Amino acid sequence: MAGVFGKRNGGGTTAPPADDDMSGETGGADSASPSLQGRLRLGAQIAAAALTGFGLILWVAAHWDEISRFGRFGIVGGVLAASLLISLINAARVPGLILSFLATGGLFALIGQTYQTGADPWQLFAVWAAVGLPWALAGRSDALWVVWSVVAHVAIGLWLATFARVGWWTLDPGVTIMGWAMALAVTGLLSPVIRPKSWVGDTNWSFRLSMLLTIGLVTQAGVAALFAGRDVSIVYWLALFLLGGLAYGLIVLPKFDIVVIAVMGLSLDTMLIGGFSRAVFTGSRDATLPFLLIGVVGAALVAGTGSLILRMARERANVGFDMDALKGREWPVILMTGIGALLTTVPLSGFLGLVIGPFLTTGAGAYVVGAIFLAGAVFFLRTTRQTTFQHQLAAIALTLGYCLIAYGLFRDARGATSAVNLTLALLAVGLAIAVGRSWTAGLLGGAAAFFSAALLNSLLHLPIAHIHIPSVIYPRGWILVLAIAAAWYVLTALSARDEEDGASRLPFADSIERFLGGYVTAGLFGVMATAGPTFLLSGAMGGIGPSRHLVTGLQLSWSSLSLLSAALACAGCAWLLVPRPRLQTTLGLGASLIVIALAAIMPSLGILVLLLCIAFTSGRRTVGVGAFIAALWVLGSFYYWLGWPLSDKAALMTSAGVMLAALCWFSGIRRADVGLASGIPAPALLARGLIIAGALATGGLAAQSITTNEAIIATGRQIFLALAPVDPRSLIQGDFMRLNFAVPNQRRIGRNDASVLGQRRWAIATVDDRDVATVESVVEVEPGPVAANQIVLPMRYKERRWIVGTDAWFFKEGTAEKWQQARFGLLRVGANGTALLVGMADKDLGLIK
């Protein structure tokens, strides 16, 4: 991941590409180009919009009980209206539309939480994407399309989770194919072949993201279909066929996107290995031969795929057999082969365990076998071309040997894990030196980063009473791992500068680049993982509970980490600004102070700022993109951190966004000539028409929903419905209570039972003089007229159970204790049967306020 997309000069150094207007960025004082200034200005505008929108969502959540319903709608609607007005200004169109799109999502979510009908989450995201489409067409910005495509794919994924499967198992082929078709339609809209460029603009990054999400969606369904029943579901074969077709389409595209193709290769390998595993294990009583077959076939598939992708990349680049000419762009294949190697290591280890298990589990057996694998792998890695099948196969042998050595060391460590981590990190470095210029050094770089982070965490461990957490998931080690990489990049840049003056360059600089690629990739993933779940994406995927906040809470609790993070961010800003007086403007200096302040509060952010600044000024695009994505993840994780109240988080994010916006305004807002915006901007009249159309759609849907639900609250029948006990681990989750109303027990829904998908039930309840409703029966067909003292309540299927209305009650942060007194839910039922949860009552039917 450390590769530089540039041309090699005569001395062997890596020069940033001239067409990027960044040549000489580490040079003279006035070397900052207009393109660099434009990128920073546009980046500041987009960041201002995103931070303001994020802060608005936090602020509404923080003051949930203090603001009336219409007060909340007025605040969010006012921000939406203001951002739409800003977007009518051509120069501020993109940031204004991004803020408008975020505010729209906040408005729809606010309506859904205010009127708790229990609507499915996919409906929110689907409507959000639909009304935002005209704005994406008006903006013609890759940045806006990226946000829109994420929302669209989340809607598709949640729709499939609602109608196509129970638990993790895919069930309905028809619904699954419809979901795939929608994902392909979104991807096709952004495709460089299908898209009408004059309408959508340049969508390189959004197309790549959409394709990756589509591949993941299809692969997940296909793999799950292998285990949906005794027979392999047709969904598996359809997924395999679709992935094969997409792979062919990607290969014939004029632009060879090695990232997407590598992910596609890994997905196909996973599907094929899974299918082959099921086939060989069917009817087999002895697992020895199946393990061997799976390991050998899997290794051949992974090695062959990696070799094929590298060969195609080399042919497209017309560079012969010189891997250096790929300029570091082989890192996706390194990552793909590494993951594939781990997959094949499992069955091969199982085979070895069954054949020579006692020899491996006792004595020096693991070390002997591991050393044999390592020696053979190093030999073939040094003596074969990097794109050959043998070279890829040797990478898998290298992984297996390394894992065997690691197993033996941890087995014999007797608690001395620091020594083991040090040994394994040094072993990875030694092996990287042994394999030389092979791309497989990237795999060893990832291993070195992992064990170095574990070592640093164990050495710098701050014990916390009654809490035991594996050392590898503390953030400080990963921050220091990336700090080491940043230091190397600085030395490399200074060495390149000295070489221009006739000084000798650093030794082994070219060889270590591949090692650093895997090292930095693992470090970025480690920082993201230890930052905790992130806003929107993690919540939509589910599983966000109090236990997930533990690591994040630990991360932001030490002032020493905050100081380190601020220092790293300050170093990054200095590296960017000091040699470039053209950037030392009010905007440049002010934005730097804001970034440093945010880094001091979110300790994982500082190192990412440093890496981003280094990459931005030296042409290391891949490192820069990785650091940028990780920084977005860390900023989003701030939402789930429990160390600050929501009101303080809202104040921080909103203040940062408003100050950035003010700096952009005073510095002179103008349309930046950069790739994030389309090279063919929409005509002003057309763009404004699309903006107004989206605004009318948003306003009309919001007004209709508010009016309908207010009518139910005003005229609907009031009932109290008793709450049944729920799993105490899920009772309180952050800002909402999980509910379970008392209804007669239904037939237990099996994990693979597709008969209930898309169906409904109706509960017939008797209402007494106190308005307490008692459900007497549940029927599958909507009943006709009922008695005066009865009421019909529609039921929905969710999470393998039938629920009335909604299964959650939202409340202000920090007030969970009083809501634990709830014994009844207060509902208003409209004439059409819609039930709105409007309050909670205690055992005496007293309304909890």
Side-chain angles (χ1 to χ4, degrees), residues 444-480:
L444 297 165
F450 180 87
F451 291 109
S452 296
L455 172 64
L456 292 168
N457 279 329
S458 62
L459 294 177
L460 302 175
H461 176 58
L462 297 177
I464 300 179
H466 309 299
I467 296 179
H468 175 71
I469 301 177
S471 60
V472 75
I473 67 174
Y474 283 99
R476 70 170 67 83
W478 293 105
I479 293 172
L480 294 176

Short mmCIF file of all heavy atoms in Angstrom, two decimals, residues 444-480:
data_model
loop_
_atom_site.label_atom_id
_atom_site.label_comp_id
_atom_site.label_asym_id
_atom_site.label_seq_id
_atom_site.Cartn_x
_atom_site.Cartn_y
_atom_site.Cartn_z
N LEU A 444 4.45 -10.08 4.92
CA LEU A 444 5.29 -10.08 6.12
C LEU A 444 5.25 -8.73 6.81
O LEU A 444 5.34 -8.65 8.04
CB LEU A 444 6.72 -10.45 5.74
CG LEU A 444 6.87 -11.87 5.16
CD1 LEU A 444 8.21 -12.04 4.47
CD2 LEU A 444 6.70 -12.91 6.26
N GLY A 445 5.08 -7.67 6.04
CA GLY A 445 4.92 -6.35 6.66
C GLY A 445 3.67 -6.27 7.50
O GLY A 445 3.68 -5.70 8.60
N GLY A 446 2.57 -6.85 7.00
CA GLY A 446 1.34 -6.90 7.79
C GLY A 446 1.51 -7.68 9.07
O GLY A 446 1.04 -7.29 10.15
N ALA A 447 2.20 -8.83 9.00
CA ALA A 447 2.47 -9.63 10.21
C ALA A 447 3.34 -8.86 11.19
O ALA A 447 3.10 -8.87 12.41
CB ALA A 447 3.12 -10.94 9.82
N ALA A 448 4.37 -8.18 10.68
CA ALA A 448 5.24 -7.41 11.56
C ALA A 448 4.47 -6.30 12.27
O ALA A 448 4.69 -6.03 13.46
CB ALA A 448 6.39 -6.81 10.75
N ALA A 449 3.55 -5.64 11.54
CA ALA A 449 2.75 -4.59 12.17
C ALA A 449 1.87 -5.16 13.27
O ALA A 449 1.75 -4.56 14.36
CB ALA A 449 1.89 -3.89 11.11
N PHE A 450 1.24 -6.29 13.03
CA PHE A 450 0.34 -6.90 14.02
C PHE A 450 1.09 -7.23 15.31
O PHE A 450 0.67 -6.85 16.41
CB PHE A 450 -0.29 -8.15 13.42
CG PHE A 450 -1.24 -8.86 14.36
CD1 PHE A 450 -2.57 -8.49 14.43
CD2 PHE A 450 -0.79 -9.89 15.18
CE1 PHE A 450 -3.44 -9.13 15.29
CE2 PHE A 450 -1.65 -10.54 16.04
CZ PHE A 450 -2.98 -10.16 16.10
N PHE A 451 2.20 -7.93 15.19
CA PHE A 451 2.92 -8.34 16.39
C PHE A 451 3.69 -7.18 17.03
O PHE A 451 3.90 -7.18 18.25
CB PHE A 451 3.85 -9.51 16.06
CG PHE A 451 3.13 -10.78 15.75
CD1 PHE A 451 3.10 -11.29 14.47
CD2 PHE A 451 2.44 -11.46 16.74
CE1 PHE A 451 2.41 -12.45 14.17
CE2 PHE A 451 1.74 -12.63 16.47
CZ PHE A 451 1.73 -13.12 15.17
N SER A 452 4.07 -6.19 16.24
CA SER A 452 4.69 -4.99 16.83
C SER A 452 3.68 -4.22 17.66
O SER A 452 4.00 -3.72 18.75
CB SER A 452 5.26 -4.09 15.72
OG SER A 452 6.29 -4.73 15.02
N ALA A 453 2.44 -4.11 17.16
CA ALA A 453 1.40 -3.43 17.93
C ALA A 453 1.12 -4.17 19.23
O ALA A 453 0.97 -3.55 20.30
CB ALA A 453 0.13 -3.31 17.10
N ALA A 454 1.04 -5.50 19.16
CA ALA A 454 0.81 -6.28 20.38
C ALA A 454 1.97 -6.11 21.35
O ALA A 454 1.75 -5.98 22.57
CB ALA A 454 0.63 -7.75 20.02
N LEU A 455 3.20 -6.07 20.84
CA LEU A 455 4.37 -5.88 21.71
C LEU A 455 4.35 -4.52 22.37
O LEU A 455 4.55 -4.39 23.59
CB LEU A 455 5.64 -6.05 20.88
CG LEU A 455 6.96 -5.72 21.58
CD1 LEU A 455 7.20 -6.67 22.75
CD2 LEU A 455 8.12 -5.76 20.59
N LEU A 456 4.12 -3.47 21.59
CA LEU A 456 4.10 -2.11 22.14
C LEU A 456 2.99 -1.96 23.17
O LEU A 456 3.17 -1.31 24.21
CB LEU A 456 3.93 -1.10 21.01
CG LEU A 456 5.13 -0.97 20.06
CD1 LEU A 456 4.75 -0.15 18.83
CD2 LEU A 456 6.32 -0.34 20.78
N ASN A 457 1.85 -2.54 22.91
CA ASN A 457 0.74 -2.46 23.87
C ASN A 457 1.08 -3.16 25.18
O ASN A 457 0.74 -2.67 26.26
CB ASN A 457 -0.53 -3.05 23.26
CG ASN A 457 -1.24 -2.09 22.35
OD1 ASN A 457 -1.21 -0.88 22.55
ND2 ASN A 457 -1.90 -2.61 21.33
N SER A 458 1.73 -4.31 25.08
CA SER A 458 2.08 -5.03 26.31
C SER A 458 3.15 -4.31 27.10
O SER A 458 3.14 -4.32 28.34
CB SER A 458 2.55 -6.45 25.97
OG SER A 458 3.72 -6.40 25.15
N LEU A 459 4.08 -3.64 26.41
CA LEU A 459 5.13 -2.89 27.11
C LEU A 459 4.61 -1.61 27.73
O LEU A 459 5.10 -1.17 28.79
CB LEU A 459 6.27 -2.57 26.14
CG LEU A 459 7.06 -3.75 25.59
CD1 LEU A 459 8.11 -3.28 24.59
CD2 LEU A 459 7.72 -4.54 26.73
N LEU A 460 3.62 -0.98 27.08
CA LEU A 460 3.09 0.30 27.56
C LEU A 460 1.74 0.14 28.23
O LEU A 460 0.98 1.09 28.34
CB LEU A 460 2.95 1.28 26.38
CG LEU A 460 4.24 1.57 25.61
CD1 LEU A 460 3.94 2.44 24.40
CD2 LEU A 460 5.27 2.23 26.50
N HIS A 461 1.44 -1.07 28.69
CA HIS A 461 0.12 -1.36 29.23
C HIS A 461 -0.15 -0.58 30.50
O HIS A 461 0.68 -0.55 31.43
CB HIS A 461 -0.01 -2.85 29.52
CG HIS A 461 -1.30 -3.24 30.16
ND1 HIS A 461 -2.53 -2.98 29.58
CD2 HIS A 461 -1.57 -3.86 31.33
CE1 HIS A 461 -3.48 -3.43 30.35
NE2 HIS A 461 -2.93 -3.97 31.42
N LEU A 462 -1.32 0.08 30.54
CA LEU A 462 -1.79 0.76 31.75
C LEU A 462 -2.91 -0.09 32.34
O LEU A 462 -4.02 -0.13 31.79
CB LEU A 462 -2.30 2.17 31.43
CG LEU A 462 -1.27 3.15 30.87
CD1 LEU A 462 -1.94 4.47 30.55
CD2 LEU A 462 -0.13 3.35 31.84
N PRO A 463 -2.66 -0.83 33.41
CA PRO A 463 -3.68 -1.74 33.93
C PRO A 463 -4.93 -1.00 34.40
O PRO A 463 -4.86 0.05 35.01
CB PRO A 463 -2.97 -2.44 35.09
CG PRO A 463 -1.90 -1.49 35.50
CD PRO A 463 -1.46 -0.79 34.25
N ILE A 464 -6.08 -1.58 34.08
CA ILE A 464 -7.37 -1.05 34.53
C ILE A 464 -8.04 -2.12 35.36
O ILE A 464 -8.16 -3.27 34.94
CB ILE A 464 -8.24 -0.66 33.32
CG1 ILE A 464 -7.54 0.42 32.50
CG2 ILE A 464 -9.60 -0.17 33.77
CD1 ILE A 464 -8.31 0.83 31.28
N ALA A 465 -8.45 -1.76 36.54
CA ALA A 465 -8.98 -2.74 37.49
C ALA A 465 -10.18 -3.48 36.92
O ALA A 465 -11.06 -2.89 36.30
CB ALA A 465 -9.38 -2.03 38.79
N HIS A 466 -10.17 -4.80 37.11
CA HIS A 466 -11.29 -5.67 36.77
C HIS A 466 -11.58 -5.73 35.28
O HIS A 466 -12.65 -6.17 34.88
CB HIS A 466 -12.57 -5.24 37.51
CG HIS A 466 -12.37 -5.07 38.98
ND1 HIS A 466 -11.98 -6.09 39.82
CD2 HIS A 466 -12.50 -3.97 39.77
CE1 HIS A 466 -11.89 -5.64 41.06
NE2 HIS A 466 -12.19 -4.36 41.06
N ILE A 467 -10.66 -5.27 34.45
CA ILE A 467 -10.88 -5.33 33.01
C ILE A 467 -9.68 -6.02 32.37
O ILE A 467 -8.54 -5.60 32.56
CB ILE A 467 -11.05 -3.92 32.39
CG1 ILE A 467 -12.31 -3.25 32.95
CG2 ILE A 467 -11.14 -4.01 30.87
CD1 ILE A 467 -12.53 -1.85 32.41
N HIS A 468 -9.94 -7.09 31.65
CA HIS A 468 -8.88 -7.79 30.94
C HIS A 468 -9.18 -7.75 29.45
O HIS A 468 -10.20 -8.25 29.00
CB HIS A 468 -8.77 -9.24 31.41
CG HIS A 468 -7.77 -10.03 30.61
ND1 HIS A 468 -6.41 -9.81 30.71
CD2 HIS A 468 -7.93 -11.01 29.67
CE1 HIS A 468 -5.77 -10.63 29.89
NE2 HIS A 468 -6.68 -11.37 29.25
N ILE A 469 -8.31 -7.11 28.69
CA ILE A 469 -8.49 -6.97 27.26
C ILE A 469 -7.21 -7.43 26.57
O ILE A 469 -6.11 -7.07 27.01
CB ILE A 469 -8.79 -5.51 26.87
CG1 ILE A 469 -10.05 -5.03 27.57
CG2 ILE A 469 -8.94 -5.36 25.37
CD1 ILE A 469 -10.37 -3.59 27.30
N PRO A 470 -7.29 -8.24 25.51
CA PRO A 470 -6.08 -8.63 24.78
C PRO A 470 -5.30 -7.41 24.35
O PRO A 470 -5.85 -6.41 23.89
CB PRO A 470 -6.65 -9.40 23.57
CG PRO A 470 -7.98 -9.91 24.03
CD PRO A 470 -8.51 -8.85 24.96
N SER A 471 -3.98 -7.49 24.48
CA SER A 471 -3.14 -6.31 24.26
C SER A 471 -3.23 -5.81 22.83
O SER A 471 -3.04 -4.61 22.58
CB SER A 471 -1.68 -6.64 24.59
OG SER A 471 -1.20 -7.69 23.77
N VAL A 472 -3.52 -6.67 21.86
CA VAL A 472 -3.49 -6.23 20.48
C VAL A 472 -4.60 -5.24 20.15
O VAL A 472 -4.51 -4.53 19.14
CB VAL A 472 -3.56 -7.47 19.55
CG1 VAL A 472 -4.97 -8.03 19.51
CG2 VAL A 472 -3.08 -7.12 18.15
N ILE A 473 -5.67 -5.17 20.97
CA ILE A 473 -6.76 -4.27 20.60
C ILE A 473 -6.68 -2.92 21.30
O ILE A 473 -7.58 -2.11 21.16
CB ILE A 473 -8.13 -4.92 20.90
CG1 ILE A 473 -8.34 -5.10 22.40
CG2 ILE A 473 -8.29 -6.23 20.17
CD1 ILE A 473 -9.73 -5.59 22.75
N TYR A 474 -5.60 -2.65 22.03
CA TYR A 474 -5.39 -1.30 22.53
C TYR A 474 -4.92 -0.41 21.38
O TYR A 474 -4.14 -0.84 20.52
CB TYR A 474 -4.35 -1.27 23.65
CG TYR A 474 -4.87 -1.74 24.98
CD1 TYR A 474 -4.64 -3.04 25.42
CD2 TYR A 474 -5.59 -0.90 25.80
CE1 TYR A 474 -5.11 -3.49 26.64
CE2 TYR A 474 -6.06 -1.33 27.03
CZ TYR A 474 -5.82 -2.62 27.45
OH TYR A 474 -6.30 -3.05 28.65
N PRO A 475 -5.33 0.84 21.34
CA PRO A 475 -4.99 1.69 20.20
C PRO A 475 -3.56 2.19 20.17
O PRO A 475 -3.02 2.48 19.11
CB PRO A 475 -5.97 2.85 20.34
CG PRO A 475 -6.25 2.92 21.80
CD PRO A 475 -6.23 1.51 22.30
N ARG A 476 -2.92 2.33 21.33
CA ARG A 476 -1.62 3.01 21.36
C ARG A 476 -0.58 2.28 20.52
O ARG A 476 0.26 2.91 19.86
CB ARG A 476 -1.14 3.17 22.81
CG ARG A 476 -0.74 1.91 23.50
CD ARG A 476 -0.04 2.21 24.82
NE ARG A 476 -0.98 2.78 25.75
CZ ARG A 476 -1.82 2.07 26.51
NH1 ARG A 476 -1.85 0.76 26.39
NH2 ARG A 476 -2.62 2.64 27.35
N GLY A 477 -0.60 0.95 20.55
CA GLY A 477 0.37 0.20 19.77
C GLY A 477 0.22 0.44 18.28
O GLY A 477 1.21 0.61 17.56
N TRP A 478 -1.02 0.48 17.80
CA TRP A 478 -1.26 0.71 16.38
C TRP A 478 -0.87 2.13 15.98
O TRP A 478 -0.38 2.37 14.87
CB TRP A 478 -2.72 0.45 16.05
CG TRP A 478 -3.10 -1.00 16.19
CD1 TRP A 478 -3.82 -1.58 17.19
CD2 TRP A 478 -2.74 -2.05 15.30
NE1 TRP A 478 -3.94 -2.92 16.99
CE2 TRP A 478 -3.29 -3.25 15.83
CE3 TRP A 478 -2.01 -2.12 14.10
CZ2 TRP A 478 -3.14 -4.47 15.20
CZ3 TRP A 478 -1.87 -3.33 13.48
CH2 TRP A 478 -2.42 -4.50 14.02
N ILE A 479 -1.11 3.09 16.89
CA ILE A 479 -0.69 4.47 16.60
C ILE A 479 0.82 4.55 16.45
O ILE A 479 1.34 5.18 15.51
CB ILE A 479 -1.18 5.40 17.73
CG1 ILE A 479 -2.71 5.48 17.72
CG2 ILE A 479 -0.57 6.79 17.58
CD1 ILE A 479 -3.28 6.23 18.92
N LEU A 480 1.55 3.89 17.34
CA LEU A 480 3.01 3.92 17.27
C LEU A 480 3.53 3.15 16.06
O LEU A 480 4.55 3.52 15.47
CB LEU A 480 3.60 3.35 18.56
CG LEU A 480 3.33 4.17 19.82
CD1 LEU A 480 3.86 3.46 21.05
CD2 LEU A 480 3.96 5.56 19.69
#
